[in-house]
Amino acid sequence: MLAFVCFIFVCCTCFMCFTFYAAIHFIICGDHCSLTYSAGALGGGMMLQGLSVDSSGPSFTPLVVVELVSDAKEETIGWLLNKIRDQQHDGGAELLVEQLGPGVGAQEKENPNLFLVGATWQRLLSGAEDVGLFKESTDGSMRAFTCANKHNFKDFGGDGDGFLSMAECQYIIKHELDTLRAKDETHVPGYKQAKLYPGKSIIRRLLSKRILIQIFPLHDKEELKRLSFSWYKKVKLSLQPLDDIRHYYGEGQALYFGFLEYFTFALVPMALFGVPYYLFDWEDYDKYVVFAVFNLIWCTVILELWKRCSASLAYRWGTLSRKKAFEEPRPGFHGVLGFNPVTGREEPLYPNIKRQLRIYLVSLPFVLLCLYLSFCVMMVYFLMEGWALSVYDQEPTFWTGVLLFIPSIIYAVVIEAMNLIYRYAAEFLTEWENHRLESSYQNHLVLKVLVFNFFNCFASLFYIAFVVQDMVLLRQSLATLLITSQILNQFMEAFLPYWLQRRRNKKMIRKVQKRRILEDKELPLAEQVRLEADMSTYLGTFDDYLELFLLFGYVSLFSCVYPLAAVLVVLNNVTEVYSDAFKMCHVFKRPFSDPAANIGVWQLAFEAMSVIAVVTNFALIGLSPQVKTYFSDSETHLILWTVAAEHGLMAFKFILTFLIPDIPKHIQIKLARLEFESLEALKKKRQLHGG
């Protein structure tokens, strides 16, 4: 019966892949207005000093769009535009900005307050130095860019046109906009309730008061075409173009896709070992000791090797030794106006004791209540499972056999729904806790979500394994939960966003087709900007990493009793690469570059899961009849042996952590040499000043 379910899953996966690729082909070949500019609208990539496509467009190549509310006050708009255009020594950003003109068949309900932002090439180079951008020098090492030594960097020729990628230019503009600060203003002009004080970030205040709707970077036609072709446009057995992804979307996105690719290849040995194990030991549910030992070694080694792979990528992309920017308060942070001893500026201050009280007296009890509700739902699932088994025992037919999988399928759907509802509640609570920094907000949100998702997804499997101790039921439940969750995720991540985006684009497509008939032109810049403004906002890699975390849990915790788990996860990850690539290029707005050096807190989450996997797999080994036969006289000896072996492997795991350096030796040498040269340069500078 389980083989029948696996056959159904493979068929569904193949059908989804075929439909998905057909949808991509239709988007790319049959619908030219989807995320493509008119000829030359952003052509030339980084020819920032050239003109745009038509005479009615801006006098510079636009990189970023700023959208204010449609009823924004004229004095507010004028004040903000002046701030953006003013010289840096006058407190401005020294950027170029123009208002977006009306589109084809402009209607009254269209927001007129969209503004295109760009910069001169010299301004971008000075901004690259301000943000501490690392680029490859002529000697092959990665060094912090400085305008004084710009000709010492590789690929810097002439005036440096093309030296910076479009993603880097957009990140620089975003940084310059974020550093716009109030000087003598007490409030935003036109909005007396939007208070300002010296040093307050103007953009963050406008966002918190909902005067500013959004800031997003524009897509580039030619570069997006090249990336799409090499990334997902055709099915191929090759590595992802991580350097191209990094060049277009930034290091954060490239590291996610790099980890997805690494995780998929790391699963191949597990899958190859699991298929024959599944075929030859399928009827004997107790012979999983060998696979459990292999599982333990696998989950211990791959995370250590990923650190080295991540460090190599980060060094190549110039983010490994890049200093982290000073974090400003979040837009939603509020408090009593006070003095910050670090920055010397006035800003809202919120007592930490109040935040801790909110966390421990409200958030923590709420999380525990949600875990209790999840436990109650799990017990209802077991009641349904018992009823299905009783029906099958009374009348063992094909349909009653199918009925055995219905409770697990329903439970898997309920788990996904509960995870979604809890996610919204966790975001609300974390926002209410009023964290000052975005990193603190993300860490608390990740902790809440991980705890609930781990319990919600794996509690029933732990209960079956160690309370019921029914390996047949454990295998059946694991297979059903894994297959159902993958089908739901593929639907939610691939087909639903595509369908919603098609509906959103329908009116725009009609207008563009009308324009083509009348004037035989492609989609103009104004319409493309409005199309992108209406697209869904990419919320980051949180959900993507969370999905990989849960899949890693299914494989590392219980795949010894269901060896095909790794095979199913490999199939899921292959389709995940193409669906995520499609969404990034055609469903979501282009995100700003995130100069990440690693996968952040998720590395710690995966390592915590691997520790739990060691304990779980040794407990399963201790429950195996193969092991129990060696300790038939004393159960105490069995427990002591299991605990001792688990502690031994745990010690080996931590020893391995120290034996395998996180950063490869050749990169350590380059970083040490760079630090030495920096110290020598500092000494010479002090000697010159002393002389």
Side-chain angles (χ1 to χ4, degrees):
M1 179 58 64
L2 197 56
F4 171 75
V5 175
C6 293
F7 172 75
I8 294 297
F9 171 74
V10 172
C11 292
C12 291
T13 303
C14 294
F15 174 75
M16 286 192 297
C17 291
F18 174 78
T19 309
F20 176 68
Y21 292 129
I24 292 178
H25 178 77
F26 176 77
I27 278 284
I28 296 173
C29 301
D31 182 12
H32 297 286
C33 73
S34 178
L35 279 186
T36 56
Y37 294 98
S38 56
L42 279 181
M46 288 313 303
M47 295 179 64
L48 297 174
Q49 295 172 334
L51 299 178
S52 62
V53 299
D54 47 41
S55 58
S56 60
S59 58
F60 56 89
T61 301
L63 295 172
V64 174
V65 177
V66 176
E67 182 178 8
L68 301 174
V69 292
S70 58
D71 58 347
K73 306 292 179 60
E74 289 295 331
E75 53 184 318
T76 306
I77 297 174
W79 171 74
L80 177 61
L81 296 185
N82 287 334
K83 282 286 185 181
I84 295 175
R85 293 182 180 126
D86 284 347
Q87 300 293 315
Q88 284 185 288
H89 58 77
D90 293 330
E94 202 172 335
L95 301 175
L96 307 175
V97 58
E98 288 188 16
Q99 187 169 9
L100 182 69
V104 179
Q107 301 177 3
E108 292 184 1
K109 63 180 181 180
E110 286 185 348
N111 187 357
N113 295 328
L114 277 86
F115 301 90
L116 305 175
V117 183
T120 62
W121 189 248
Q122 291 302 320
R123 180 68 185 91
L124 290 172
L125 291 178
S126 65
E129 182 175 352
D130 294 339
V131 301
L133 199 66
F134 269 63
K135 303 292 286 186
E136 185 178 0
S137 64
T138 52
D139 62 0
S141 62
M142 302 299 295
R143 298 175 182 271
F145 175 79
T146 58
C147 292
N149 300 320
K150 58 186 178 183
H151 293 289
N152 294 333
F153 287 86
K154 186 179 178 181
D155 299 328
F156 192 97
D159 60 354
D161 189 16
F163 177 68
L164 300 175
S165 68
M166 188 175 183
E168 290 171 337
C169 294
Q170 291 168 334
Y171 174 77
I172 292 169
I173 289 179
K174 178 66 162 56
H175 174 267
E176 298 300 335
L177 291 175
D178 287 339
T179 52
L180 281 176
R181 302 192 178 279
K183 296 180 69 176
D184 301 326
E185 301 91 344
T186 58
H187 63 274
V188 175
Y191 296 90
K192 292 186 178 181
Q193 75 279 9
K195 302 297 183 183
L196 289 175
Y197 44 86
K200 171 63 181 176
S201 172
I202 294 174
I203 296 297
R204 292 176 182 271
R205 174 59 74 199
L206 294 177
L207 284 171
S208 63
K209 293 301 181 180
R210 304 187 186 279
I211 303 171
L212 175 62
I213 298 177
Q214 60 180 340
I215 301 176
F216 63 91
L218 286 170
H219 277 284
D220 179 271
K221 171 191 171 183
E222 297 301 327
E223 196 171 351
L224 186 62
K225 277 185 178 181
R226 290 192 296 268
L227 177 61
S228 300
F229 183 79
S230 61
W231 195 2
Y232 72 92
K233 196 173 180 181
K234 60 179 181 179
V235 182
K236 59 186 187 307
L237 296 176
S238 62
L239 301 178
Q240 297 180 89
L242 294 181
D243 289 325
D244 294 337
I245 298 171
R246 175 254 173 182
H247 190 269
Y248 193 80
Y249 287 108
E251 292 79 13
Q253 283 298 317
L255 278 174
Y256 161 70
F257 283 102
F259 180 74
L260 175 59
E261 180 179 275
Y262 174 85
F263 181 41
T264 305
F265 279 103
L267 284 166
V268 172
M270 180 77 73
L272 294 177
F273 188 65
V275 170
Y277 201 89
Y278 172 88
L279 295 176
F280 295 111
D281 281 343
W282 174 248
E283 296 300 330
D284 194 343
Y285 294 96
D286 301 322
K287 291 183 179 179
Y288 51 79
V289 175
V290 176
F291 198 86
V293 173
F294 179 78
N295 198 356
L296 290 171
I297 299 173
W298 174 82
C299 69
T300 301
V301 172
I302 65 164
L303 292 178
E304 294 303 318
L305 294 181
W306 163 250
K307 291 180 183 178
R308 294 172 61 85
C309 180
S310 174
S312 299
L313 292 174
Y315 178 78
R316 192 170 80 208
W317 296 336
T319 57
L320 184 62
S321 55
R322 183 173 174 179
K323 293 182 179 180
K324 190 176 181 181
F326 181 78
E327 278 196 89
E328 297 288 345
R330 299 175 57 248
F333 176 69
H334 57 85
V336 179
L337 193 63
F339 180 78
N340 188 326
V342 177
T343 62
R345 297 194 296 257
E346 282 187 312
E347 66 177 45
L349 301 178
Y350 189 78
N352 187 56
I353 184 64
K354 288 187 177 181
R355 184 180 300 110
Q356 298 301 322
L357 288 174
R358 290 187 175 190
I359 292 174
Y360 291 108
L361 297 183
V362 180
S363 297
L364 180 60
F366 176 79
V367 173
L368 295 176
L369 175 62
C370 291
L371 295 179
Y372 174 74
L373 293 177
S374 176
F375 178 80
C376 294
V377 172
M378 182 187 71
M379 299 311 296
V380 172
Y381 155 67
F382 285 124
L383 292 176
M384 294 171 58
E385 195 74 50
W387 170 78
L389 286 171
S390 64
V391 172
Y392 180 78
D393 291 338
Q394 294 176 2
E395 188 179 355
T397 63
F398 173 80
W399 294 111
T400 55
V402 173
L403 182 65
L404 292 176
F405 295 94
I406 300 301
S408 296
I409 294 174
I410 295 175
Y411 184 52
V413 175
V414 172
I415 283 177
E416 295 297 325
M418 292 175 64
N419 287 342
L420 185 62
I421 295 172
Y422 177 82
R423 170 68 182 275
Y424 289 116
E427 289 178 350
F428 174 81
L429 274 179
T430 312
E431 184 71 33
W432 178 72
E433 290 167 3
N434 196 28
H435 295 277
R436 178 179 177 271
L437 302 178
E438 183 66 26
S439 59
S440 176
Y441 171 87
Q442 290 295 332
N443 290 339
H444 282 80
L445 178 61
V446 167
L447 181 61
K448 291 185 184 71
V449 173
L450 283 186
V451 168
F452 181 80
N453 278 259
F454 180 85
F455 185 88
N456 200 30
C457 294
F458 300 116
S460 62
L461 301 178
F462 278 101
Y463 187 86
I464 296 172
F466 303 114
V467 179
V468 181
Q469 295 187 13
D470 187 344
M471 296 304 154
V472 179
L473 180 59
L474 177 61
R475 177 175 291 190
Q476 173 187 313
S477 299
L478 174 61
T480 309
L481 289 175
L482 182 58
I483 292 171
T484 306
S485 64
Q486 287 184 356
I487 292 176
L488 289 175
N489 284 331
Q490 290 297 330
F491 173 78
M492 294 292 292
E493 293 187 4
F495 295 102
L496 187 59
Y498 164 75
W499 179 72
L500 292 175
Q501 185 60 31
R502 289 294 299 165
R503 289 189 60 188
R504 189 180 295 116
N505 293 353
K506 194 172 182 180
K507 184 180 295 185
M508 186 68 69
I509 292 170
R510 289 175 180 172
K511 290 163 59 176
V512 172
Q513 289 174 343
K514 182 179 179 181
R515 172 74 174 244
R516 287 175 181 167
I517 294 172
L518 294 178
E519 303 181 23
D520 193 25
K521 288 186 178 180
E522 294 289 337
L523 184 62
L525 174 62
E527 295 302 332
Q528 184 60 43
V529 171
R530 296 184 186 279
L531 176 62
E532 290 190 37
D534 292 336
M535 295 172 72
S536 301
T537 301
Y538 182 70
L539 300 178
T541 55
F542 185 97
D543 291 321
D544 299 317
Y545 279 120
L546 178 61
E547 181 183 354
L548 294 181
F549 172 80
L550 296 176
L551 292 175
F552 179 75
Y554 282 121
V555 173
S556 61
L557 294 176
F558 299 106
S559 65
C560 61
V561 297
Y562 183 58
L564 282 186
V567 179
L568 298 178
V569 175
V570 168
L571 291 175
N572 176 83
N573 287 0
V574 171
T575 59
E576 187 81 12
V577 169
Y578 287 92
S579 63
D580 285 350
F582 169 74
K583 289 187 301 180
M584 292 298 299
C585 296
H586 289 282
V587 176
F588 293 118
K589 294 184 186 74
R590 183 179 184 176
F592 281 103
S593 173
D594 175 23
N598 48 56
I599 62 175
V601 69
W602 292 103
Q603 179 73 38
L604 181 62
F606 278 91
E607 291 178 356
M609 180 68 82
S610 69
V611 172
I612 298 173
V614 171
V615 179
T616 303
N617 280 272
F618 265 107
L620 290 171
I621 292 173
L623 293 175
S624 170
Q626 291 175 280
V627 176
K628 285 183 177 180
T629 55
Y630 294 100
F631 301 92
S632 56
D633 298 334
S634 175
E635 187 175 345
T636 304
H637 289 168
L638 172 61
I639 296 174
L640 292 176
W641 179 89
T642 304
V643 173
E646 177 266 326
H647 278 61
L649 187 64
M650 197 75 74
F652 171 74
K653 178 181 177 63
F654 290 115
I655 291 173
L656 200 63
T657 302
F658 289 102
L659 291 179
I660 302 178
D662 294 347
I663 302 176
K665 186 67 176 178
H666 69 281
I667 295 180
Q668 292 182 22
I669 294 174
K670 290 181 180 179
L671 293 177
R673 183 187 303 149
L674 182 62
E675 183 178 359
F676 172 76
E677 292 176 359
S678 299
L679 291 175
E680 288 297 310
L682 183 61
K683 287 180 182 178
K684 290 181 180 179
K685 186 176 181 180
R686 288 177 176 174
Q687 290 174 358
L688 290 174
H689 283 291

